[in-house]
Amino acid sequence: MPLTIRSIQLSDNEPLAILIRTVFREFKIDKPGTVYTDPTTDALYQLFRQPASAYFVAEEDGVIVGGCGVYPTEGLPEGCAELVKFYLAADARGKGIGNKLMQQSIEAARELGYKQLYLESFPELAKAVSMYEKAGFRPLPHALGNSGHYACNIWMIKQL
């Protein structure tokens, strides 16, 4: 089976949580104040039942290799959503899969009526940060909204 990008399903919860935590350990950012310890990481399907949110899963040969979504994080400015839970398995990187997931999420944000997309990241995820910059995200001097991910120290925003 080739690459498939689809909406999240209930059966995706466990494989996505494993994938996310594996990526955090790989980059040594598995610490409090991140998605690593966020209880919603184990219930992404339920989280993305929230109105005005969307989450997409990338499957390669029937195996989940990544995910990315948009979420109306509390405290963000009117018309702004957060690009969230964007992770790729190590063997899926460098193939354009991440860019496809991100573009699908950006398009979903537009369709949901958002005017801006915000994200939080880490210097350890430099390749991802570079991809965000190429997609038009610009740095911010401080966090926006109330994600609860206080350990993140890169904040970016994109006009849609």
Side-chain angles (χ1 to χ4, degrees), residues 8-157:
I8 191 170
Q9 302 169 0
L10 180 58
S11 60
D12 298 332
N13 275 350
E14 185 177 1
L16 282 169
I18 291 168
L19 169 66
I20 290 168
R21 290 192 175 104
T22 299
V23 170
F24 269 68
R25 286 189 299 273
E26 174 189 353
F27 287 95
K28 297 178 179 32
I29 51 176
D30 50 336
K31 51 190 167 187
T34 69
V35 172
Y36 191 82
T37 58
D38 187 332
T40 64
T41 299
D42 294 302
L44 293 182
Y45 175 80
Q46 291 83 349
L47 181 67
F48 286 93
R49 300 288 52 91
Q50 165 86 19
S53 71
Y55 195 82
F56 303 99
V57 173
E59 275 186 338
E60 195 172 41
D61 298 321
V63 175
I64 292 176
V65 296
C68 184
V70 293
Y71 192 81
T73 301
E74 183 182 322
L76 287 177
E78 184 72 27
C80 184
E82 187 175 0
L83 186 76
V84 294
K85 315 280 198 257
F86 182 17
Y87 301 102
L88 278 181
D91 60 356
R93 297 179 202 139
K95 300 178 178 182
I97 296 171
N99 192 52
K100 287 178 182 174
L101 273 170
M102 183 175 60
Q103 293 304 326
Q104 181 85 28
S105 296
I106 290 169
E107 185 55 36
R110 285 188 180 113
E111 289 171 8
L112 289 166
Y114 292 112
K115 303 294 182 220
Q116 295 178 308
L117 258 185
Y118 165 76
L119 66 81
E120 299 176 335
S121 193
F122 291 93
E124 291 87 346
L125 303 174
K127 286 186 179 174
V129 172
S130 173
M131 184 173 64
Y132 301 144
E133 290 169 342
K134 287 178 186 156
F137 284 87
R138 296 292 165 246
L140 288 171
H142 56 79
L144 297 178
N146 306 315
S147 72
H149 302 145
Y150 58 82
C152 294
N153 55 10
I154 289 180
W155 311 282
M156 303 179 87
I157 198 156

